Amino acid sequence: MATILDSAKALEQTIRESAEFAHLKQQYDNVYADEATKKLFDDFRNLQFTLQTKQMQREEITQEEIIQAQEHVVAVQQNEKISALLEAEQQMSNVIQQINQIVMKPLEELYND
Amino acid sequence: MATILDSAKALEQTIRESAEFAHLKQQYDNVYADEATKKLFDDFRNLQFTLQTKQMQREEITQEEIIQAQEHVVAVQQNEKISALLEAEQQMSNVIQQINQIVMKPLEELYND
């Protein structure tokens, strides 16, 4: 058990020291350094979270909420700092997905044998 | 990027060579070596999958299906080989959960800062 967790911690450290993580952190800092941009981003995230929660609980999403969400997406896309952060998040999410695929391979092979 | 994936591959290799993985594989082989046990286990898994899919799609699960599932659980629990496999799977699932927690720590810290 110790060995697997040691190996996982080595991976954690590699992520921490990676260019991808540094880049994401930089974009995040850029967004949060500016009060107006920070507010726009936080509102966008909160609205996203509310709509996703409603969707998961199969609650109705109102026409008003859809329009509000669309307006937020437009505002966020026009903001260079937030666009750059969303792109960096997408890149990191791809890395995490690749990690998961690699790590789950032994189990997958076992079950597809 | 290469470094993160190299590190993930090192973790994959550690999992492959771990006592936990060898144990799981052994339990799995034990179940599949015996035709009757294999059938019982496959039926159990298929029923589980059917019920989970229905649940996710919010389809109604019939009284008959509930009774069928309960009978399967009893039969499976009474089978030593399958019980041992389910336990080994649970242990491996705990390890995977711990890996995920470790690997996601840098991102979690970034967002909770």
Side-chain angles (χ1 to χ4, degrees), chain B residues 87-102:
Chain B
E87 203 181 310
E89 281 187 340
Q90 187 54 53
Q91 283 164 5
M92 184 53 86
S93 156
N94 291 344
V95 173
I96 298 290
Q97 213 179 317
Q98 287 182 62
I99 292 174
N100 284 337
Q101 278 169 3
I102 292 170

Side-chain angles (χ1 to χ4, degrees), chain B residues 61-100:
Chain B
I61 293 170
T62 64
Q63 192 60 29
E64 199 186 331
E65 282 171 325
I66 293 172
I67 293 168
Q68 209 188 347
Q70 284 166 344
E71 284 171 357
H72 267 82
V73 169
V74 171
V76 154
Q77 279 171 342
Q78 285 172 345
N79 185 300
E80 274 180 33
K81 287 175 186 170
I82 298 180
S83 294
L85 173 55
L86 294 180
E87 203 181 310
E89 281 187 340
Q90 187 54 53
Q91 283 164 5
M92 184 53 86
S93 156
N94 291 344
V95 173
I96 298 290
Q97 213 179 317
Q98 287 182 62
I99 292 174
N100 284 337

